[in-house]
Amino acid sequence: MSLVESYDVVVVGGGLAGLQCARLLGKSGIKVLIVDRKVRIGEGVHTTGIFVRRTLEDFDLPEDCLGPPVRRVALYSPARRALTLESAHDEFRVGRMSLLYERYLEECRQSGVAWSPATRYINCEAKKDRSFIRLETKTQERIVSARYLIGADGAASRVARDLNLDTNKQWIVGVEDVMRGVSMSGAPCFHCFLDSALAPGYIAWVVNDGEETHVGVGGYAKRFNPVQALERFRKDVVERMFDLSRAEQVERRGGRIPVGGVLRRIANERGLLVGDAAGAVSPLTAGGLDACMRLSDIAARVVVEYLKTNDAKALASYSGEHFRARFVSRLWMREIISRFERPMLLEAACALLRLPLLRRVAESIFFGRNSFPDANPAWQARATPSLEEQSPIARSG
């Protein structure tokens, strides 16, 4: 076994949440190691990668990592009756996630962040003021030490378990195909299908931005077989509505999506959780990229302050209780949606959405800007100064 390597922070998981957190910490002078099971950072992407307007306005995402803007949403009832919603703004852009991950990793490495691919997190053990983290590759087992551990390892987080933090108990599963060369008429559109047979408790979707097309289904795992449902959706619905004769399938993605809201206990003196590991996903829409970016920003500020002061009070603001209040109505709506199994009920609900008042509700769900708290809300600003205001921490040995 090799000598123990020492870091300020170890980030487990090289998805968007882990990369965003690591790049901010690296720019603040923190000695960071990112570990991930993937050989290449851009492989094995799980998310569709839909960025909403609020994220696009507030974060400086590389232009070449984003597809063309989408302003239109078509919501289909079980009988395939469409309700079309259109915004005056560019509401969505589908991220080219592999390219974005590679870009963010490069920024991390330029800031001195170490990258350990093809590495599996095993467990961690606390000793005094450090955690000793056991990692495994195909050729060796190694132990690294860190003052702080960040779990960005997805909905079923092993880090959360080892840190004695909360874990996700409620999720849906999704699977999608990413294609190029799909022939579609009209402006780019986000097509959402409500069908309890295809997608129990969630939706089936076709997102076409003029360059890429994402076709997928999601729902509660106990109620359907996602792969079979996707194949049926493509054959019975998508191929009848769109021309796939020249389509080239680029990849198939899939994974768990937590829908229980932000977990209550997401930080302690040994580590914290970000992204899906923290449940930072809208319970209603299952959209997680905006919450992912914002929570990772807050986490980076909190960790810098905690490492600088060694004062546990710096962690107090990083509590799921602060965030869950924003999701109360969405949690109730998720509970209601989970019980919609009969097509007749869904059909009636879709018909009601055509009424002016409920149509505005639908527009607020798809086009609204009130999701996750700002990266630096009032209570956070009082607790922790911005990254620019904080003094860099000297790199440990």
Side-chain angles (χ1 to χ4, degrees):
M1 187 175 295
S2 60
L3 294 175
V4 175
E5 306 162 41
S6 179
Y7 297 90
D8 294 321
V9 176
V10 171
V11 178
V12 178
L16 184 62
L19 289 168
Q20 173 70 353
C21 204
R23 65 196 281 264
L24 293 174
L25 291 171
K27 290 177 181 179
S28 297
I30 308 296
K31 186 178 181 182
V32 181
L33 169 68
I34 307 177
V35 302
D36 195 280
R37 299 180 69 164
K38 299 188 291 287
V39 176
R40 288 181 57 254
I41 193 69
E43 68 184 16
V45 175
H46 296 297
T47 177
T48 299
I50 299 177
F51 289 98
V52 298
R53 176 160 58 103
R54 188 172 182 233
T55 317
L56 296 167
E57 291 174 349
D58 292 351
F59 293 90
D60 187 22
L61 296 166
E63 180 66 25
D64 63 331
C65 296
L66 300 169
V70 179
R71 295 188 171 196
R72 182 181 298 176
V73 171
L75 184 62
Y76 298 85
S77 73
R80 309 296 180 249
R81 295 186 177 91
L83 171 65
T84 301
L85 308 172
E86 189 153 3
S87 173
H89 306 281
D90 295 339
E91 293 290 346
F92 311 106
R93 297 185 73 174
V94 180
R96 306 307 185 235
M97 300 307 290
S98 294
L99 181 60
L100 181 61
Y101 288 3
E102 290 169 0
R103 189 70 50 80
Y104 274 8
L105 179 60
E106 181 59 30
E107 289 185 27
C108 286
R109 298 179 79 168
Q110 288 175 359
S111 299
V113 174
W115 161 238
S116 182
T119 302
R120 189 164 71 96
Y121 167 85
I122 305 299
N123 57 33
C124 69
E125 180 181 355
K127 293 182 180 179
K128 296 184 179 180
D129 63 342
R130 300 190 71 84
S131 289
F132 289 81
I133 300 150
R134 191 155 64 99
L135 306 172
E136 183 180 70
T137 67
K138 285 186 177 181
T139 58
Q140 67 172 347
E141 182 178 294
R142 56 197 266 237
I143 292 178
V144 302
S145 78
R147 290 180 62 192
Y148 211 67
L149 177 62
I150 294 179
D153 52 337
S157 171
R158 295 172 65 93
V159 173
R161 174 203 65 192
D162 292 343
L163 292 176
N164 292 317
L165 297 173
D166 287 348
T167 57
N168 292 292
K169 298 293 192 298
Q170 185 179 6
W171 51 63
I172 57 178
V173 294
V175 61
E176 73 167 11
D177 290 334
V178 183
M179 295 180 286
R180 296 194 182 115
V182 177
S183 178
M184 288 189 174
S185 59
C189 187
F190 184 0
H191 302 269
C192 302
F193 297 81
L194 292 173
D195 187 327
S196 57
L198 285 171
Y202 192 48
I203 61 170
W205 64 89
V206 179
V207 184
N208 176 268
D209 62 11
E211 293 180 359
E212 286 188 353
T213 301
H214 296 247
V215 177
V217 297
Y220 290 104
K222 293 182 179 179
R223 301 187 195 174
F224 81 138
N225 181 303
V227 173
Q228 291 179 2
L230 177 59
E231 297 295 340
R232 186 152 57 92
F233 178 51
R234 284 188 56 164
K235 180 180 179 181
D236 296 346
V237 179
V238 181
E239 291 181 5
R240 295 181 180 182
M241 296 181 66
F242 311 109
D243 182 4
L244 304 185
S245 61
R246 298 183 180 180
E248 172 194 2
Q249 183 166 324
V250 178
E251 61 180 308
R252 173 165 285 185
R253 301 174 178 175
R256 293 175 174 179
I257 308 168
V259 290
V262 181
L263 302 172
R264 288 183 169 83
R265 294 177 61 252
I266 55 175
N268 60 27
E269 294 182 27
R270 294 175 55 204
L272 57 74
L273 309 175
V274 292
D276 285 3
V281 174
S282 169
L284 179 59
T285 65
L289 297 190
D290 186 71
C292 165
M293 296 290 285
R294 295 179 194 279
L295 191 64
S296 292
D297 273 22
I298 297 171
R301 289 188 175 91
V302 166
V303 170
V304 169
E305 179 69 6
Y306 177 62
L307 294 180
K308 183 176 72 173
T309 64
N310 205 32
D311 186 351
K313 292 180 181 178
L315 302 171
S317 61
Y318 196 81
S319 167
E321 297 290 354
H322 289 299
F323 308 119
R324 285 186 70 84
R326 297 290 295 270
F327 292 110
V328 170
S329 61
R330 292 174 176 85
L331 286 165
W332 277 105
M333 293 181 74
R334 162 56 49 192
E335 182 64 23
I336 292 170
I337 289 172
S338 70
R339 300 177 186 275
F340 270 64
E341 297 184 6
R342 297 181 180 180
M344 290 179 61
L345 291 176
L346 278 174
E347 195 69 40
C350 290
L352 289 173
L353 289 176
R354 298 178 184 279
L355 299 175
L357 177 60
L358 293 182
R359 183 187 180 96
R360 287 196 291 273
V361 172
E363 289 172 344
S364 71
I365 291 172
F366 284 104
F367 303 146
R369 289 175 47 80
N370 294 321
S371 56
F372 205 78
D374 289 332
N376 194 22
W379 56 265
Q380 179 67 29
R382 290 193 299 271
T384 311
S386 67
L387 288 173
E388 292 77 10
E389 295 170 333
Q390 298 179 36
S391 300
I393 297 175
R395 299 184 183 276
S396 56

